[in-house]
Amino acid sequence: ENREDMLSSKSNRLTEALEEANKLFSGVSCAREAALDAQFLVLASNLGKEKANELHSEMTAFDSLAFAEDLLTFMGINRIEVEENDSDSEGISGGYLPSNAWHKLGEETEKYFRRAPSFHYMLGSFKSDPPVPRQRIERQKKTTGGEEKRAMPAQLKKMEESHQEATEKEVERILGLLQTHFKNDPDTPISFFDLVIDPNSFARTVENIFHVSFIIRDGFARLKLDDDKLPIIEPSKDEGRKDDHSAGARNQVVISLNHQEWK
């Protein structure tokens, strides 16, 4: 709206607008605001370019008359002396170039053109052949229905197997410890937190809870609350719930344990 005012060389409106945009950009939080800032930057750049083109600077201007005077002086004519001679002798025209003037200019300019002109054919050096058609590569059709299973890399498959084996071994080890403690002292309940918590490692504590969850899921042990409403764990008498096939017997519990509670 204020285009003419901003383009004026006496006005600083464009600079003020840029400073205001810098302040507003510090509070940008949405994509739409950033897009508006980019749009303003393009508009301000165009205005700055137009404003720069209107500046009049004589530093790089080419003066053809001054160049002609210097060129004639180099070729052997002093215009000032010619004008004085013309004023002294009327009717006698002077200012002719010396006989070697153009040779002198040629020798000087030859230094700046020390390369042979490029040679080229007007209609090309030979008749061009039509381009060779590219061979069409047929893409393999995708298999439908998911009949073919994707081949798993051997290294990834080996890692998965080793991780699964390590988990199974750890679950078996914890179950053995639980059964041994319960067998030695069947009347004393085993605290769930005393079993799983590692005082020196929060990550190890989480892994222990993860492994014990498999024991609970498969029915080798069960959780219940004591008189203080704290969970205790004990091995199941019926290993693996062989006699219970009902889905209602499978109960899941979500335990919340953060780093502060672990401490």
Side-chain angles (χ1 to χ4, degrees):
E1 294 175 356
N2 302 323
R3 184 184 186 87
E4 298 298 332
D5 190 13
M6 287 191 173
L7 291 177
S8 176
S9 59
K10 299 179 181 180
S11 174
N12 292 327
R13 292 291 302 278
L14 185 58
T15 305
E16 295 172 358
L18 287 171
E19 292 176 353
E20 184 180 357
N22 287 336
K23 295 178 182 178
L24 293 176
F25 185 73
S26 61
V28 168
S29 59
C30 300
R32 178 58 183 162
E33 296 170 354
L36 288 174
D37 180 78
Q39 185 178 357
F40 166 75
L41 182 60
V42 174
L43 184 61
S45 300
N46 293 332
L47 290 174
K49 180 181 178 182
E50 292 184 19
K51 194 170 183 179
N53 290 334
E54 292 182 359
L55 295 176
H56 298 286
S57 175
E58 302 298 334
M59 296 178 62
T60 58
F62 177 72
D63 190 352
S64 59
L65 295 178
F67 176 74
E69 292 289 342
D70 294 339
L71 190 59
L72 290 172
T73 303
F74 175 77
M75 296 172 73
I77 293 182
N78 192 335
R79 302 282 297 191
I80 299 177
E81 295 179 357
V82 171
E83 290 178 358
E84 291 178 354
N85 293 334
D86 289 345
S87 61
D88 294 341
S89 57
E90 296 180 358
I92 302 175
S93 60
Y96 288 101
L97 288 173
S99 59
N100 65 338
W102 292 109
H103 292 284
K104 187 177 181 181
L105 179 63
E107 291 176 356
E108 182 66 24
T109 56
E110 188 182 16
K111 302 175 184 178
Y112 306 100
F113 295 94
R114 287 185 176 274
R115 64 188 183 94
S118 59
F119 180 78
H120 64 279
Y121 294 93
M122 295 181 63
L123 297 177
S125 59
F126 57 90
K127 292 182 180 180
S128 60
D129 297 329
V132 180
R134 297 177 59 184
Q135 295 181 355
R136 187 175 181 180
I137 302 174
E138 296 183 359
R139 297 182 178 178
Q140 296 180 354
K141 296 182 179 180
K142 296 181 179 180
T143 56
T144 57
E147 297 176 356
E148 296 182 1
K149 295 183 179 179
R150 293 183 178 179
M152 182 179 295
Q155 186 176 4
L156 183 60
K157 188 175 182 180
K158 186 176 180 181
M159 288 176 61
E160 286 190 354
E161 290 177 354
S162 62
H163 182 71
Q164 186 175 2
E165 291 176 0
T167 302
E168 292 177 356
K169 290 180 180 178
E170 189 66 19
V171 171
E172 292 176 0
R173 187 183 71 85
I174 295 177
L175 179 59
L177 291 174
L178 182 64
Q179 292 174 344
T180 300
H181 282 291
F182 191 78
K183 190 180 297 183
N184 294 336
D185 191 2
D187 297 328
T188 304
I190 303 173
S191 172
F192 173 75
F193 291 119
D194 288 345
L195 176 68
V196 299
I197 287 181
D198 186 340
N200 301 319
S201 173
F202 176 70
R204 183 63 182 168
T205 301
V206 175
E207 289 182 0
N208 290 337
I209 296 176
F210 171 71
H211 292 140
V212 171
S213 67
F214 288 101
I215 300 175
I216 304 297
R217 183 199 65 180
D218 296 335
F220 292 106
R222 58 174 174 264
L223 285 174
K224 59 183 180 179
L225 299 179
D226 58 5
D227 297 336
D228 297 327
K229 301 297 182 181
L230 292 176
I232 57 176
I233 186 171
E234 62 181 10
S236 298
K237 295 179 181 179
D238 48 344
E239 295 282 336
R241 288 204 308 264
K242 296 178 181 178
D243 300 329
D244 191 358
H245 299 285
S246 61
R250 288 177 176 265
N251 296 323
Q252 291 182 333
V253 179
V254 178
I255 298 178
S256 173
L257 181 68
N258 56 31
H259 196 267
Q260 189 64 32
E261 291 173 344
W262 167 75
K263 284 187 177 181

